Amino acid sequence: FSRLFIALIGVTVISVIFFVAPFFTKNFRTDLPQTYTVTTTNNAGPGSLRVAITNANSNAGGDRIEFTVSGTITLLSALPVLTDSQGVTIDGTTAPDDLTGPDIILNGSPAGSVAGLILNSDNNTIIGLKIKSFANEGLRINAGANNTIGGTGARDRVVLIGNGITCCTAQM
């Protein structure tokens, strides 16, 4: 009887694990679009724009980066280059209090001789950002097609201020 009881408990535990585990584990598929949320204006670390771009690049889907913070992200080094073949949307309009226009500011003054955002892939969308004080371009498109920078409303614009090279460059 005791062996039967132990066997039944073992089967029950295994059944519960197979039933409950999917509810507590992250979806590890890397071919589905994901949304990565920036929760801090820190240069690096959990919740940073740098980590969100790295995660979006490593996921094959057409991903989104959204913000739950507003303010200035002071960058101490170059951000990762956007390389996701399905594209990444960086949407600064998701920042709180974004009523009239970019509340996410990328400040590149301490980053050294780097560009702000660099796009090396297709289908990227950059909206609702203010990019300022980079030694080189605030925005550089090295490769790719169907990239969208800014939008039609004041909230959607990408503002480039005081960067080393006026505006941006596109090299195809």
Side-chain angles (χ1 to χ4, degrees):
F1 175 74
S2 63
R3 287 184 183 171
L4 177 62
F5 181 71
I6 291 172
L8 288 175
I9 288 175
V11 169
T12 302
V13 169
I14 291 171
S15 297
V16 168
I17 290 172
F18 281 112
F19 176 75
V20 174
F23 296 104
F24 293 102
T25 57
K26 183 181 181 297
N27 177 3
F28 289 106
R29 289 188 62 184
T30 59
D31 59 339
L32 298 175
Q34 300 289 323
T35 298
Y36 300 100
T37 304
V38 177
T39 59
T40 181
T41 57
N42 291 342
N43 170 64
S48 68
L49 177 60
R50 184 177 307 281
V51 169
I53 292 172
T54 300
N55 290 341
N57 281 339
S58 67
N59 184 57
D63 304 310
R64 291 183 57 80
I65 296 175
E66 298 181 348
F67 296 81
T68 61
V69 294
S70 295
T72 301
I73 300 171
T74 300
L75 299 168
L76 303 178
S77 61
L79 285 168
V81 174
L82 293 174
T83 59
D84 187 333
S85 62
Q86 298 298 311
V88 174
T89 295
I90 300 179
D91 188 354
T93 67
T94 59
D97 303 324
D98 188 337
L99 301 176
T100 59
D103 287 332
I104 298 296
I105 302 163
L106 303 183
N107 176 13
S109 61
S113 187
V114 301
L117 286 173
I118 301 174
L119 284 58
N120 277 2
S121 58
D122 300 332
N123 305 312
N124 295 293
T125 300
I126 311 297
I127 57 174
L129 298 179
K130 187 181 294 182
I131 304 172
K132 70 176 207 159
S133 303
F134 282 88
N136 292 325
E137 305 93 332
L139 178 66
R140 181 188 304 157
I141 304 172
N142 285 338
N146 300 319
N147 289 303
T148 303
I149 309 301
T152 58
R155 296 180 68 227
D156 302 331
R157 65 187 174 205
V158 173
V159 179
L160 299 158
I161 303 169
N163 296 296
I165 298 175
T166 305
C167 184
C168 49
T169 61
Q171 302 167 2
M172 304 294 179

